[in-house]
Each structure stands twice: as C-alpha cells, then as structure tokens.
Amino acid sequence: EAQVTQNPRYLITVTGKKLTVTCSQNMNHEYMSWYRQDPGLGLRQIYYSMNVEVTDKGDVPEGYKVSRKEKRNFPLILESPSPNQTSLYFCASSPQGGKNIQYFGAGTRLSVL
Amino acid sequence: GEDVEQSLFLSVREGDSSVINCTYTDSSSTYLYWYKQEPGAGLQLLTYIFSNMDMKQDQRLTVLLNKKDKHLSLRIADTQTGDSAIYFCAESLSGYSTLTFGKGTMLLVSP
C-alpha cells in the first residue's frame, strides 16, 4: 500500500531534549516536505527536499533541521525543543512535476513542556 | 507573494449543499487543490483542477474555477455528517512541487 509513515504519532518531551520525528514514503517520490499545523494558522511549511541531499527552508524553519540521505526518508530534527514548537506535524511527499499531488502522513502531535 | 484565503467555518444541515470558497493571489497557479482533513488524521486529496479548466465534477463534488477573479469553490451535494471535516484549498505553480495552503474551512454538518 502506497503511504507516508510518520513516527511517533504522539510525543511529550521537555524543553531542550533533542528529538527526531521520522518520515518514510514507499512511492519513490522525489519531493518531501514537513509542515506544522497550528490553530488559526493553518499549515506552514518548515523544510522541503526536492531530492536526495537537496533540502531547503520553508516558511518557518527556525529551530528545526532535516536531512535527506535516502530517497524514502526525511527525518525532522529538533535539536533543542522549546514550548513554541508544540504543534501537529505532517510529512508529505509527491512525485516531481506532473500534478504535484502531495500525499500526507497521519501526523505527529508533539508537546514540549 | 502567494496567499490563499478561505472562510474559517461553515455549518450546514444534512442533505443540503455545501459551498466552500477560496481566493488566491498568484495568477501563475497551475493546479489548484482541495484537501480534506478528518479529525485526528492527515490531509487527503479530494480533488484538483488544472488552471485552464472552469469546472470539474466528481460524483458529489463540483469544483468551479474563476481565473479572472482568482476564485475557487468546492460544492458538496447532499452533504452528509461524514463530510464534517476541515477543507483546505491549495495552489501550486508551474514546475514547483511546493504547495501554498489556505488556513482551512471547518465544515460542520448537523443531522
């Protein structure tokens, strides 16, 4: 089954404790992206990747890191999480060109205390 | 710059039609999309329309595009309680994979 898998689905952590949210897709998509969703603000893009070893900042990259060493994986790293990073995070992937249809993971709800 | 605007909330009765509206600013948009987010879930593509089309129909869904006014709408016929969700409008530009999303419209369908 074609899917985008995020782990974990739920995470509670404390300020300053490094964490990684993993994202994996099995559709051989070139493009992958991370978003955060906050009430009243909709979806905001954090980082995206056009292909392996190619990453770029989105609209709200501060406090986040990403890497794209393999085509299928695009982890989101919070080196020193802060309470303002409490949010619902989504990973998405899409094939390059064409209709640009993005496929989303089920989301990771993160709480930073 | 790019901006996508939607009304935040819509309430309808079961069986009525729902119309969710969206405006966008970038006339270079190639594709426009409607995504649905059910509670506790990720976004799921409902439908999309290519910018050279005026209308697209898919079962209970009708998408209308007015390029002159940069206005996109999603009509859901015979709305059911299972249609209660947040609906996101999004646009993409030619050659770019990045989508710009609106803030989402929460649709509440009452019995």
Side-chain angles (χ1 to χ4, degrees):
Chain A
E1 182 191 349
Q3 57 186 3
V4 178
T5 305
Q6 294 178 229
N7 279 298
R9 292 290 317 278
Y10 303 92
L11 181 59
I12 301 174
T13 189
V14 295
T15 298
K17 186 176 180 182
K18 180 179 178 180
L19 67 92
T20 299
V21 184
T22 64
C23 174
S24 180
Q25 50 95 4
N26 62 0
M27 295 169 279
N28 202 37
H29 287 165
E30 291 82 8
Y31 180 91
M32 296 186 75
S33 180
W34 277 103
Y35 297 89
R36 60 179 288 174
Q37 184 180 18
D38 301 288
L41 297 176
L43 280 169
R44 294 180 293 169
Q45 191 178 47
I46 302 170
Y47 268 96
Y48 64 96
S49 169
M50 303 289 272
N51 215 321
V52 175
E53 302 290 2
V54 181
T55 63
D56 213 340
K57 296 177 181 178
D59 298 319
V60 288
E62 294 77 21
Y64 304 94
K65 282 174 57 177
V66 293
S67 70
R68 187 91 182 273
K69 294 186 171 60
E70 308 161 282
K71 201 172 190 180
R72 62 182 292 127
N73 295 322
F74 190 44
L76 180 69
I77 303 152
L78 284 72
E79 295 268 4
S80 182
S82 62
N84 65 10
Q85 293 178 298
T86 293
S87 188
L88 179 58
Y89 291 86
F90 289 103
C91 179
S93 72
S94 71
Q96 271 291 50
K99 301 180 184 68
N100 288 347
I101 293 171
Q102 291 198 9
Y103 297 82
F104 282 79
T108 296
R109 186 165 291 282
L110 171 65
S111 293
V112 183
L113 306 177
Chain B
E2 306 156 24
D3 201 9
V4 179
E5 300 279 346
Q6 302 177 236
S7 52
L8 293 182
F9 186 74
L10 176 65
S11 178
V12 300
R13 289 194 175 276
E14 193 172 22
D16 288 349
S17 291
S18 307
V19 179
I20 302 172
N21 294 301
C22 169
T23 57
Y24 60 98
T25 55
D26 200 316
S27 56
S28 304
S29 296
T30 307
Y31 284 97
L32 294 128
Y33 312 82
W34 284 104
Y35 279 82
K36 177 183 181 183
Q37 183 183 26
E38 296 182 353
L43 279 71
Q44 182 182 18
L45 180 72
L46 266 185
T47 186
Y48 65 91
I49 188 167
F50 190 51
S51 59
N52 68 354
M53 297 170 65
D54 298 322
M55 185 181 92
K56 181 178 181 182
Q57 188 148 2
D58 185 1
Q59 300 183 327
R60 293 190 297 122
L61 305 178
T62 303
V63 178
L64 295 178
L65 175 60
N66 181 328
K67 278 199 78 174
K68 176 174 166 289
D69 295 337
K70 299 191 187 74
H71 183 266
L72 182 74
S73 68
L74 173 70
R75 178 177 181 270
I76 306 173
D78 186 26
T79 314
Q80 303 297 306
T81 54
D83 294 323
S84 291
I86 302 175
Y87 291 80
F88 289 91
C89 172
E91 64 173 350
S92 76
L93 304 182
S94 174
Y96 290 87
S97 294
T98 296
L99 302 188
T100 300
F101 286 88
K103 290 183 169 51
T105 299
M106 179 176 287
L107 173 65
L108 181 64
V109 183
S110 53

